[in-house]
Amino acid sequence: MSDFKSNNKVVNWIEERLPVFSMMQHSAIEYPTPRNLNYWWNFGSLAAVMLIIMILTGLFLAMNYSSHTSLAFDSVERIMRDVNYGWLLRYLHANGASMFFILVYIHIFRGLYYGSYKSPREILWFIGIAIFLAMMATGFMGYVLPWGQMSFWGATVITNLFSAFPVVGDYIVTLLWGGFSVDNPTLNRFFALHFLLPFVIVGLVVLHVWALHTVKSNNPLGIDMKGPQDSIPFHPFYTIKDLYGIGLFLMFYMAFVFWAPNFFGEPDNYIPANPMVTPPHIVPEWYYLPFYAILRAFTFDLPLLPAKLQGVLAMFSAILILFALPWLDSSKVRSAKFRPLYRQFFWLFFVDCMVLGYVGGKPAEGVLIKVGQFCTAYYFAHFLLILPLLSRIEKPKPLPASIAQPVVKAAALLAMIGFGIAGFGGQAQASSAGMPEFKKPAAAFSWEGMFGKHDQAALKRGWQVFHDVCANCHSMKLVAYRNLADIGFTADEVKAFAAEKEVPDEPNDEGVVNNRPARPSDRIVPPFANDKAAAAANGGALPPDLSLMNKARPSGPYYVYSLMLGYEDAAPEGHPIPEGKFFNHYFPGNAISMPAVISDDIVAYADGTKATKEQVAYDIVTFLNWAAEPELDARKSMGVKVMVFLALLTALMYALKRQIWKDVH
Amino acid sequence: MADQAHNAQPSSVDGQTRRDFLLYATSAVGAVGTGLALWPFVHSMNPAADTLALSTTDVDISAIKPGQSVTVVWRGKPVFVRHRLPEEIADAAKVNTADLREPETDTQRAKKPEWLVLIGVCTHLGCVPLGQKPADPKGEFGGWFCPCHGSHYDTSGRIRKGPAPSNLPVPPYQFTTDTTVRIG
């Protein structure tokens, strides 16, 4: 470190007072790295990049977010609709959380496969587990912030975990809530902690890298570097390799951000939190599912140890047991490459975790309960029985004398694993059990596919249907009249639509509140003064707000389209429908309060299109989709540009990487 | 280790050229990409669509008597609407604009002489000047007086004395009817 010299006087002046340059030289440039690292070693730096993206997007989201229960949901929707590029920041952040966990899970499994937790890397491993725990806490609290139904009920369920502890449990839960249920104090403190914890993670990452640089990187062979011939300097070899990996990863990440931004999310979270109604099937985010399955696997009470407490203890133990791993696995050989038995059990364990994840995302019923219990037992057996036993009976293959062989190109494999995990993350598309297949329009919805956009003519017709029919009962509180300019209405038409309704004005000089005509800047005025009035006027059933309907139901557009056309005049045999309800094939439970309003020629379209039932349904679904995702057109066209750019950049980085590495291979 | 790095250098001049080209091309494309990626973050701090949509305010001026002023909110800022008396108009008109820090005639500043519409934010450092209420100090020129650092404005809202650099700005406005002003 002391041999650092520069020709630049300013650099030397700073260096003598604060040795940052020699530190960078030492730990980011010269840092001797095993020459045989494969692509599985990219995931650490990828996770660091992801952490930076999360902090950056999170910071700018926080500038527009309100952590009050009465504002949180709407402030998130304002970010999506009104804040410049707000939709991009939010989708980067929400999908970024899933990406972060994908990267970290691969990073952890890489450590498990190659024995990176073994001496002398135990403390490096511990800090890693601490980062994982901090990520889980951060992710959980972040998911609460949009204050949708899943936010609220996720928060309720997870905080209730602590009630399992005897005597102190209820006090802990009250303390966490700051009240007697999840409410405003809870949301406020979760926001504060969600802002803080990422910086704690940054600190832990610094320690993680410090520990790494002290003991040096493990490698696929799991043997120590024996001399200069085994290592290469970090720069430029691994800087360019990491950058190339980042390029590949960003394309994977951006595919979700621009084309499937709600893939990892739950439709229920586009319904504002309602403390009175739990959604029928609540699931945590996919990255908690294996642990959620372990939590639910315990169903028998034992003396002093009720099932609830067993589950909670098992769930925490499932992570904490990783701390004991360096001693549970006492084999001196690190890499599974030379441990024929361990390698097989590693993959069994991997499959076990995947199955647990699958089970965790499904309702706890039938054979899945038994599967979950078996996999939970196996999870712990892997650590407590198999690993200690293996290290005694296994005969490792002979280790090579030194790090010699060139790296394997695994870029394609990396992408495949990523997609595999993403597909797995698709999990709980809350199955509407017993529902018929959704109807599909004769022509696909115009906005589907990679380049699909909302059809302007259908949007204008859809607004006409909404305006003439739906809006008599349904509100659309998140859309403003001014937004109608985006679907092709002129400024004067927008003004006229707004002026049809009245809203309360500011109090005048005498303090009297009069009504004034609505203006384009006002949100679409609801048909009823409040939810109670709306329910009372509709036979006791509140017509839901339609702003987010297409995003708030699984397969939203198809659901709404099918619902519009799914009425029967008389309920079929064996499906008695209560008085005042109507039979619909696609409504959960079949008994819907809304009558069959859509019929042929219910509107006379201004553009002369024939208003068949199917056409009307198509148009209203198109309009509702625009209302829910007004950014869709801009999002997709930006996505194409981003992908073309990333492809070019990644290709360049790949070529540069080959050029830099060609004499090493 | 230095040997290692040295060994890794391309051996041929041709390879060196290719490597340099790739390095510069990748760096350039990467730098452009980083720059473009920063724009959404910066732009997210600009006024949002709903903020921009609230950029007009209608004021009913039928109840403002001569000599009275009202303060209305436009874009989060106070806007002064003063129904000027004939002598105030006369005062404002007779000023020799050559003597002013920011030369503007009164007719340039008021669409109808009896109505003066101003953004009520001192051009020095952003305080709200006094002079809207009957009991307020109006400064040495009968208009407004900023208590923060002592700027005096005349009955046309022009800076006459004190540290402020320019006149109180006139917002875009129009008379939509005889009794209504739309600001913005």
Side-chain angles (χ1 to χ4, degrees), chain A residues 76-99:
Chain A
V76 171
E77 279 305 315
R78 182 177 169 272
I79 288 171
M80 293 297 290
R81 290 157 191 273
D82 288 334
V83 173
N84 304 313
Y85 293 113
W87 58 267
L88 177 63
L89 297 178
R90 174 160 175 263
Y91 280 153
L92 282 171
H93 198 72
N95 287 284
S98 282
M99 293 302 136

PDB file of all heavy atoms in Angstrom, chain A residues 76-99:
ATOM      1  N   VAL A  76     -49.177   7.545  -3.949  1.00  0.00           N
ATOM      2  CA  VAL A  76     -48.496   6.604  -4.842  1.00  0.00           C
ATOM      3  C   VAL A  76     -49.107   6.698  -6.238  1.00  0.00           C
ATOM      4  O   VAL A  76     -48.401   6.717  -7.253  1.00  0.00           O
ATOM      5  CB  VAL A  76     -48.582   5.167  -4.299  1.00  0.00           C
ATOM      6  CG1 VAL A  76     -48.075   4.177  -5.332  1.00  0.00           C
ATOM      7  CG2 VAL A  76     -47.783   5.039  -3.015  1.00  0.00           C
ATOM      8  N   GLU A  77     -50.428   6.806  -6.317  1.00  0.00           N
ATOM      9  CA  GLU A  77     -51.071   6.939  -7.628  1.00  0.00           C
ATOM     10  C   GLU A  77     -50.727   8.271  -8.281  1.00  0.00           C
ATOM     11  O   GLU A  77     -50.635   8.369  -9.508  1.00  0.00           O
ATOM     12  CB  GLU A  77     -52.580   6.772  -7.512  1.00  0.00           C
ATOM     13  CG  GLU A  77     -53.010   5.306  -7.460  1.00  0.00           C
ATOM     14  CD  GLU A  77     -52.487   4.503  -8.658  1.00  0.00           C
ATOM     15  OE1 GLU A  77     -52.568   4.985  -9.796  1.00  0.00           O
ATOM     16  OE2 GLU A  77     -51.978   3.385  -8.444  1.00  0.00           O
ATOM     17  N   ARG A  78     -50.524   9.286  -7.470  1.00  0.00           N
ATOM     18  CA  ARG A  78     -50.091  10.579  -8.036  1.00  0.00           C
ATOM     19  C   ARG A  78     -48.694  10.431  -8.636  1.00  0.00           C
ATOM     20  O   ARG A  78     -48.402  10.988  -9.703  1.00  0.00           O
ATOM     21  CB  ARG A  78     -50.100  11.656  -6.948  1.00  0.00           C
ATOM     22  CG  ARG A  78     -49.700  13.009  -7.484  1.00  0.00           C
ATOM     23  CD  ARG A  78     -49.783  14.110  -6.427  1.00  0.00           C
ATOM     24  NE  ARG A  78     -49.138  15.323  -6.939  1.00  0.00           N
ATOM     25  CZ  ARG A  78     -47.849  15.590  -6.801  1.00  0.00           C
ATOM     26  NH1 ARG A  78     -47.062  14.744  -6.149  1.00  0.00           N
ATOM     27  NH2 ARG A  78     -47.343  16.691  -7.302  1.00  0.00           N
ATOM     28  N   ILE A  79     -47.840   9.672  -7.955  1.00  0.00           N
ATOM     29  CA  ILE A  79     -46.517   9.403  -8.509  1.00  0.00           C
ATOM     30  C   ILE A  79     -46.671   8.720  -9.863  1.00  0.00           C
ATOM     31  O   ILE A  79     -45.999   9.053 -10.838  1.00  0.00           O
ATOM     32  CB  ILE A  79     -45.699   8.517  -7.540  1.00  0.00           C
ATOM     33  CG1 ILE A  79     -45.283   9.324  -6.308  1.00  0.00           C
ATOM     34  CG2 ILE A  79     -44.456   7.946  -8.236  1.00  0.00           C
ATOM     35  CD1 ILE A  79     -44.656   8.507  -5.208  1.00  0.00           C
ATOM     36  N   MET A  80     -47.602   7.765  -9.960  1.00  0.00           N
ATOM     37  CA  MET A  80     -47.799   7.008 -11.194  1.00  0.00           C
ATOM     38  C   MET A  80     -48.367   7.871 -12.317  1.00  0.00           C
ATOM     39  O   MET A  80     -48.151   7.603 -13.490  1.00  0.00           O
ATOM     40  CB  MET A  80     -48.757   5.834 -10.963  1.00  0.00           C
ATOM     41  CG  MET A  80     -48.233   4.757 -10.053  1.00  0.00           C
ATOM     42  SD  MET A  80     -46.784   3.952 -10.725  1.00  0.00           S
ATOM     43  CE  MET A  80     -47.480   3.035 -12.086  1.00  0.00           C
ATOM     44  N   ARG A  81     -49.167   8.878 -11.962  1.00  0.00           N
ATOM     45  CA  ARG A  81     -49.935   9.594 -12.981  1.00  0.00           C
ATOM     46  C   ARG A  81     -49.426  11.003 -13.259  1.00  0.00           C
ATOM     47  O   ARG A  81     -49.435  11.449 -14.408  1.00  0.00           O
ATOM     48  CB  ARG A  81     -51.416   9.692 -12.534  1.00  0.00           C
ATOM     49  CG  ARG A  81     -52.112   8.364 -12.568  1.00  0.00           C
ATOM     50  CD  ARG A  81     -53.318   8.328 -11.632  1.00  0.00           C
ATOM     51  NE  ARG A  81     -53.783   6.947 -11.500  1.00  0.00           N
ATOM     52  CZ  ARG A  81     -54.641   6.390 -12.342  1.00  0.00           C
ATOM     53  NH1 ARG A  81     -55.143   7.085 -13.332  1.00  0.00           N
ATOM     54  NH2 ARG A  81     -54.989   5.134 -12.168  1.00  0.00           N
ATOM     55  N   ASP A  82     -49.014  11.709 -12.213  1.00  0.00           N
ATOM     56  CA  ASP A  82     -48.742  13.135 -12.381  1.00  0.00           C
ATOM     57  C   ASP A  82     -47.265  13.504 -12.286  1.00  0.00           C
ATOM     58  O   ASP A  82     -46.822  14.440 -12.944  1.00  0.00           O
ATOM     59  CB  ASP A  82     -49.535  13.937 -11.341  1.00  0.00           C
ATOM     60  CG  ASP A  82     -51.015  13.958 -11.663  1.00  0.00           C
ATOM     61  OD1 ASP A  82     -51.350  13.812 -12.857  1.00  0.00           O
ATOM     62  OD2 ASP A  82     -51.831  14.103 -10.738  1.00  0.00           O
ATOM     63  N   VAL A  83     -46.519  12.816 -11.441  1.00  0.00           N
ATOM     64  CA  VAL A  83     -45.100  13.165 -11.276  1.00  0.00           C
ATOM     65  C   VAL A  83     -44.354  12.777 -12.556  1.00  0.00           C
ATOM     66  O   VAL A  83     -44.567  11.688 -13.096  1.00  0.00           O
ATOM     67  CB  VAL A  83     -44.506  12.440 -10.052  1.00  0.00           C
ATOM     68  CG1 VAL A  83     -43.001  12.648  -9.980  1.00  0.00           C
ATOM     69  CG2 VAL A  83     -45.184  12.924  -8.782  1.00  0.00           C
ATOM     70  N   ASN A  84     -43.490  13.657 -13.038  1.00  0.00           N
ATOM     71  CA  ASN A  84     -42.736  13.366 -14.262  1.00  0.00           C
ATOM     72  C   ASN A  84     -41.913  12.095 -14.083  1.00  0.00           C
ATOM     73  O   ASN A  84     -41.080  12.026 -13.173  1.00  0.00           O
ATOM     74  CB  ASN A  84     -41.800  14.534 -14.593  1.00  0.00           C
ATOM     75  CG  ASN A  84     -42.556  15.842 -14.703  1.00  0.00           C
ATOM     76  OD1 ASN A  84     -43.592  15.912 -15.358  1.00  0.00           O
ATOM     77  ND2 ASN A  84     -42.067  16.878 -14.040  1.00  0.00           N
ATOM     78  N   TYR A  85     -42.112  11.139 -14.954  1.00  0.00           N
ATOM     79  CA  TYR A  85     -41.428   9.835 -14.893  1.00  0.00           C
ATOM     80  C   TYR A  85     -41.661   9.109 -13.559  1.00  0.00           C
ATOM     81  O   TYR A  85     -40.900   8.209 -13.216  1.00  0.00           O
ATOM     82  CB  TYR A  85     -39.919   9.993 -15.128  1.00  0.00           C
ATOM     83  CG  TYR A  85     -39.574  10.442 -16.516  1.00  0.00           C
ATOM     84  CD1 TYR A  85     -39.019  11.692 -16.736  1.00  0.00           C
ATOM     85  CD2 TYR A  85     -39.818   9.625 -17.603  1.00  0.00           C
ATOM     86  CE1 TYR A  85     -38.711  12.126 -18.012  1.00  0.00           C
ATOM     87  CE2 TYR A  85     -39.515  10.040 -18.887  1.00  0.00           C
ATOM     88  CZ  TYR A  85     -38.959  11.293 -19.086  1.00  0.00           C
ATOM     89  OH  TYR A  85     -38.656  11.706 -20.347  1.00  0.00           O
ATOM     90  N   GLY A  86     -42.689   9.512 -12.839  1.00  0.00           N
ATOM     91  CA  GLY A  86     -42.961   8.853 -11.551  1.00  0.00           C
ATOM     92  C   GLY A  86     -43.214   7.369 -11.729  1.00  0.00           C
ATOM     93  O   GLY A  86     -42.753   6.546 -10.937  1.00  0.00           O
ATOM     94  N   TRP A  87     -43.934   7.017 -12.803  1.00  0.00           N
ATOM     95  CA  TRP A  87     -44.224   5.601 -13.050  1.00  0.00           C
ATOM     96  C   TRP A  87     -42.924   4.820 -13.227  1.00  0.00           C
ATOM     97  O   TRP A  87     -42.792   3.687 -12.764  1.00  0.00           O
ATOM     98  CB  TRP A  87     -45.128   5.431 -14.278  1.00  0.00           C
ATOM     99  CG  TRP A  87     -44.562   6.006 -15.544  1.00  0.00           C
ATOM    100  CD1 TRP A  87     -44.780   7.258 -16.032  1.00  0.00           C
ATOM    101  CD2 TRP A  87     -43.672   5.364 -16.468  1.00  0.00           C
ATOM    102  NE1 TRP A  87     -44.081   7.430 -17.198  1.00  0.00           N
ATOM    103  CE2 TRP A  87     -43.394   6.299 -17.496  1.00  0.00           C
ATOM    104  CE3 TRP A  87     -43.101   4.100 -16.523  1.00  0.00           C
ATOM    105  CZ2 TRP A  87     -42.553   5.993 -18.562  1.00  0.00           C
ATOM    106  CZ3 TRP A  87     -42.267   3.809 -17.594  1.00  0.00           C
ATOM    107  CH2 TRP A  87     -41.993   4.740 -18.586  1.00  0.00           C
ATOM    108  N   LEU A  88     -41.946   5.450 -13.891  1.00  0.00           N
ATOM    109  CA  LEU A  88     -40.677   4.767 -14.131  1.00  0.00           C
ATOM    110  C   LEU A  88     -39.950   4.540 -12.804  1.00  0.00           C
ATOM    111  O   LEU A  88     -39.473   3.437 -12.515  1.00  0.00           O
ATOM    112  CB  LEU A  88     -39.819   5.600 -15.087  1.00  0.00           C
ATOM    113  CG  LEU A  88     -38.432   5.056 -15.378  1.00  0.00           C
ATOM    114  CD1 LEU A  88     -38.527   3.699 -16.072  1.00  0.00           C
ATOM    115  CD2 LEU A  88     -37.643   6.025 -16.243  1.00  0.00           C
ATOM    116  N   LEU A  89     -39.906   5.572 -11.983  1.00  0.00           N
ATOM    117  CA  LEU A  89     -39.223   5.442 -10.696  1.00  0.00           C
ATOM    118  C   LEU A  89     -39.883   4.365  -9.848  1.00  0.00           C
ATOM    119  O   LEU A  89     -39.220   3.539  -9.230  1.00  0.00           O
ATOM    120  CB  LEU A  89     -39.256   6.781  -9.943  1.00  0.00           C
ATOM    121  CG  LEU A  89     -38.536   7.947 -10.615  1.00  0.00           C
ATOM    122  CD1 LEU A  89     -38.695   9.223  -9.792  1.00  0.00           C
ATOM    123  CD2 LEU A  89     -37.055   7.625 -10.784  1.00  0.00           C
ATOM    124  N   ARG A  90     -41.220   4.356  -9.825  1.00  0.00           N
ATOM    125  CA  ARG A  90     -41.899   3.400  -8.965  1.00  0.00           C
ATOM    126  C   ARG A  90     -41.721   1.970  -9.481  1.00  0.00           C
ATOM    127  O   ARG A  90     -41.464   1.051  -8.716  1.00  0.00           O
ATOM    128  CB  ARG A  90     -43.383   3.717  -8.853  1.00  0.00           C
ATOM    129  CG  ARG A  90     -44.113   2.648  -8.079  1.00  0.00           C
ATOM    130  CD  ARG A  90     -45.444   3.077  -7.522  1.00  0.00           C
ATOM    131  NE  ARG A  90     -46.057   1.900  -6.903  1.00  0.00           N
ATOM    132  CZ  ARG A  90     -46.951   1.140  -7.516  1.00  0.00           C
ATOM    133  NH1 ARG A  90     -47.356   1.426  -8.738  1.00  0.00           N
ATOM    134  NH2 ARG A  90     -47.444   0.081  -6.910  1.00  0.00           N
ATOM    135  N   TYR A  91     -41.856   1.787 -10.808  1.00  0.00           N
ATOM    136  CA  TYR A  91     -41.696   0.432 -11.340  1.00  0.00           C
ATOM    137  C   TYR A  91     -40.252  -0.044 -11.215  1.00  0.00           C
ATOM    138  O   TYR A  91     -40.002  -1.241 -11.008  1.00  0.00           O
ATOM    139  CB  TYR A  91     -42.174   0.377 -12.790  1.00  0.00           C
ATOM    140  CG  TYR A  91     -43.686   0.278 -12.932  1.00  0.00           C
ATOM    141  CD1 TYR A  91     -44.341   0.750 -14.065  1.00  0.00           C
ATOM    142  CD2 TYR A  91     -44.454  -0.307 -11.934  1.00  0.00           C
ATOM    143  CE1 TYR A  91     -45.715   0.643 -14.202  1.00  0.00           C
ATOM    144  CE2 TYR A  91     -45.835  -0.408 -12.062  1.00  0.00           C
ATOM    145  CZ  TYR A  91     -46.463   0.063 -13.196  1.00  0.00           C
ATOM    146  OH  TYR A  91     -47.824  -0.044 -13.326  1.00  0.00           O
ATOM    147  N   LEU A  92     -39.286   0.872 -11.353  1.00  0.00           N
ATOM    148  CA  LEU A  92     -37.893   0.480 -11.124  1.00  0.00           C
ATOM    149  C   LEU A  92     -37.717   0.007  -9.686  1.00  0.00           C
ATOM    150  O   LEU A  92     -37.028  -0.969  -9.407  1.00  0.00           O
ATOM    151  CB  LEU A  92     -36.948   1.662 -11.383  1.00  0.00           C
ATOM    152  CG  LEU A  92     -36.625   2.018 -12.832  1.00  0.00           C
ATOM    153  CD1 LEU A  92     -35.861   3.338 -12.889  1.00  0.00           C
ATOM    154  CD2 LEU A  92     -35.789   0.915 -13.474  1.00  0.00           C
ATOM    155  N   HIS A  93     -38.358   0.715  -8.775  1.00  0.00           N
ATOM    156  CA  HIS A  93     -38.185   0.413  -7.350  1.00  0.00           C
ATOM    157  C   HIS A  93     -38.905  -0.884  -6.969  1.00  0.00           C
ATOM    158  O   HIS A  93     -38.335  -1.745  -6.307  1.00  0.00           O
ATOM    159  CB  HIS A  93     -38.723   1.581  -6.523  1.00  0.00           C
ATOM    160  CG  HIS A  93     -38.233   1.609  -5.106  1.00  0.00           C
ATOM    161  ND1 HIS A  93     -36.945   1.940  -4.764  1.00  0.00           N
ATOM    162  CD2 HIS A  93     -38.853   1.340  -3.931  1.00  0.00           C
ATOM    163  CE1 HIS A  93     -36.797   1.889  -3.439  1.00  0.00           C
ATOM    164  NE2 HIS A  93     -37.945   1.523  -2.909  1.00  0.00           N
ATOM    165  N   ALA A  94     -40.153  -1.019  -7.409  1.00  0.00           N
ATOM    166  CA  ALA A  94     -40.950  -2.191  -7.028  1.00  0.00           C
ATOM    167  C   ALA A  94     -40.360  -3.466  -7.632  1.00  0.00           C
ATOM    168  O   ALA A  94     -40.203  -4.486  -6.949  1.00  0.00           O
ATOM    169  CB  ALA A  94     -42.401  -2.011  -7.473  1.00  0.00           C
ATOM    170  N   ASN A  95     -40.012  -3.411  -8.929  1.00  0.00           N
ATOM    171  CA  ASN A  95     -39.392  -4.583  -9.545  1.00  0.00           C
ATOM    172  C   ASN A  95     -37.961  -4.760  -9.063  1.00  0.00           C
ATOM    173  O   ASN A  95     -37.462  -5.887  -8.993  1.00  0.00           O
ATOM    174  CB  ASN A  95     -39.425  -4.470 -11.070  1.00  0.00           C
ATOM    175  CG  ASN A  95     -40.824  -4.683 -11.613  1.00  0.00           C
ATOM    176  OD1 ASN A  95     -41.306  -5.801 -11.675  1.00  0.00           O
ATOM    177  ND2 ASN A  95     -41.485  -3.608 -11.971  1.00  0.00           N
ATOM    178  N   GLY A  96     -37.326  -3.640  -8.711  1.00  0.00           N
ATOM    179  CA  GLY A  96     -35.967  -3.714  -8.198  1.00  0.00           C
ATOM    180  C   GLY A  96     -35.889  -4.552  -6.927  1.00  0.00           C
ATOM    181  O   GLY A  96     -34.915  -5.282  -6.714  1.00  0.00           O
ATOM    182  N   ALA A  97     -36.922  -4.475  -6.094  1.00  0.00           N
ATOM    183  CA  ALA A  97     -36.927  -5.285  -4.871  1.00  0.00           C
ATOM    184  C   ALA A  97     -36.863  -6.762  -5.229  1.00  0.00           C
ATOM    185  O   ALA A  97     -36.077  -7.530  -4.655  1.00  0.00           O
ATOM    186  CB  ALA A  97     -38.178  -4.980  -4.047  1.00  0.00           C
ATOM    187  N   SER A  98     -37.676  -7.175  -6.204  1.00  0.00           N
ATOM    188  CA  SER A  98     -37.647  -8.578  -6.628  1.00  0.00           C
ATOM    189  C   SER A  98     -36.302  -8.943  -7.233  1.00  0.00           C
ATOM    190  O   SER A  98     -35.751 -10.008  -6.964  1.00  0.00           O
ATOM    191  CB  SER A  98     -38.769  -8.849  -7.632  1.00  0.00           C
ATOM    192  OG  SER A  98     -39.998  -8.971  -6.951  1.00  0.00           O
ATOM    193  N   MET A  99     -35.762  -8.035  -8.063  1.00  0.00           N
ATOM    194  CA  MET A  99     -34.452  -8.298  -8.677  1.00  0.00           C
ATOM    195  C   MET A  99     -33.386  -8.462  -7.602  1.00  0.00           C
ATOM    196  O   MET A  99     -32.531  -9.341  -7.682  1.00  0.00           O
ATOM    197  CB  MET A  99     -34.060  -7.129  -9.587  1.00  0.00           C
ATOM    198  CG  MET A  99     -34.923  -6.964 -10.795  1.00  0.00           C
ATOM    199  SD  MET A  99     -34.927  -8.429 -11.823  1.00  0.00           S
ATOM    200  CE  MET A  99     -36.662  -8.552 -12.181  1.00  0.00           C
TER     201      MET A  99
END
